[in-house]
Amino acid sequence: MEDRTDGRNANQLRPLGCSRTILNRAHGSARWSQGNTIVLAAVYGPKAGTKKGENPEKASFEVIWKPKTGQIGKQEREYEMILKRTLQSICLVNVHPNTTTSVIVQVVGDDGSLLPCAINASCAALVDAGIPMKHLAVSISCGLMEEGSIILDLTKSEEEKLKAFAYLVFPNSPLSVIDKVHSSKEEPIEHGIITSVSYGAMPVSGYFDCLERGRAASAAISEFLRRSLQKQSSEDASRAAQ
């Protein structure tokens, strides 16, 4: 398959960017970029009390999606729901029962793979806020071409042309974030998948190809996230020591 319109090969991700603690009033915040897709995430909480319909014996989350322009629509409501479920599944919801943590997602730029970018931004913002987490998550988009080949980290024009594509969220081992001895009798979570959203008519074989390629690529995003979190932590420590 020939190179894509932006010159990348099928497996190549766009340049990644991550910065934390960018909003003073939020308890945690992060800016995540994948090429020209840029999302700001702000975390407020945990605050006492849960909303109606939530389990008061656990910590609950609310996600508020703010588009770059215009009103929130059906697509954004779906993104809010998927993001909320994803964040609840990676956080330790028994640590702060009967609390609500709000995650505000502000779209700065949308050139495809918007939901994966928002998930990556929200995850970094939760770390910045010190919210207790089981593990981090990294998200990626995978597209299925007409002839059956897979491309990663889709642009907006690619999403519009593709036969089918999926947004996938994979767990990131806590070992890759904090260098601690991690003893757990549970099955390693890396083999699992946290969230999967597919669009278009995707055959089962194509979906499994996406899973395989997406999981392999998520390791590169995990490594980038680990490095950016460690770099920021060491900068924070050096500032505190001054």
Side-chain angles (χ1 to χ4, degrees):
M1 175 194 146
E2 73 275 7
D3 282 353
R4 295 147 76 174
T5 51
D6 57 8
R8 289 183 291 149
N9 65 37
N11 286 330
Q12 201 172 351
L13 306 180
R14 292 173 291 179
L16 297 171
C18 177
S19 49
R20 278 165 52 216
T21 323
I22 46 175
L23 301 171
N24 291 332
R25 291 187 175 180
H27 295 117
S29 56
R31 178 186 189 274
W32 185 278
S33 60
Q34 293 173 214
N36 292 324
T37 300
I38 304 162
V39 174
L40 272 175
V43 174
Y44 298 89
K47 295 172 184 168
T50 52
K51 294 194 169 177
K52 191 179 176 184
E54 299 286 348
N55 182 354
E57 293 180 6
K58 294 188 175 179
S60 74
F61 289 81
E62 67 169 355
V63 173
I64 298 162
W65 189 284
K66 295 191 170 180
K68 186 178 178 184
T69 55
Q71 297 296 310
I72 187 166
K74 186 183 171 189
Q75 179 77 86
E76 289 83 9
R77 292 274 178 233
E78 185 183 300
Y79 284 173
E80 283 181 341
M81 186 181 69
I82 295 164
L83 190 46
K84 177 183 171 177
R85 286 180 182 169
T86 300
L87 298 182
Q88 278 180 320
S89 75
I90 63 172
C91 290
L92 292 164
V93 293
N94 296 320
V95 176
H96 297 299
N98 198 26
T99 62
T100 302
T101 297
S102 302
V103 180
I104 318 293
V105 171
Q106 173 68 60
V107 178
V108 180
D110 176 13
D111 185 27
S113 305
L114 183 59
L115 181 59
C117 193
I119 290 169
N120 293 333
S122 300
C123 193
L126 287 173
V127 172
D128 193 52
I131 302 297
M133 299 167 80
K134 298 178 209 168
H135 46 77
L136 297 181
V138 289
S139 185
I140 190 162
S141 59
C142 305
L144 183 65
M145 305 288 282
E146 285 288 343
E147 79 282 5
S149 61
I150 307 288
I151 57 173
L152 300 176
D153 190 18
L154 313 173
T155 64
K156 201 164 186 67
S157 65
E158 286 172 339
E159 286 179 349
E160 286 164 358
K161 289 176 198 160
L162 281 170
K163 171 184 170 185
F165 61 92
Y167 294 153
L168 306 172
V169 187
F170 295 97
N172 178 6
S173 160
L175 286 176
S176 68
V177 186
I178 309 157
D179 297 321
K180 280 184 186 173
V181 177
H182 179 67
S183 59
S184 173
K185 294 189 175 76
E186 293 175 33
E187 185 186 337
I189 190 79
E190 299 88 50
H191 302 312
I193 180 165
I194 297 168
T195 304
S196 166
V197 188
S198 58
Y199 299 89
M202 186 177 290
V204 173
S205 60
Y207 178 72
F208 281 114
D209 287 345
C210 280
L211 274 184
E212 189 182 331
R213 293 278 286 282
R215 184 178 283 114
S218 74
I221 304 175
S222 290
E223 181 58 23
F224 170 78
L225 181 59
R226 183 185 69 81
R227 281 202 312 269
S228 65
L229 294 181
Q230 285 184 338
K231 179 171 175 265
Q232 197 118 19
S233 298
S234 60
E235 284 172 1
D236 293 346
S238 62
R239 271 201 297 271
Q242 287 170 3

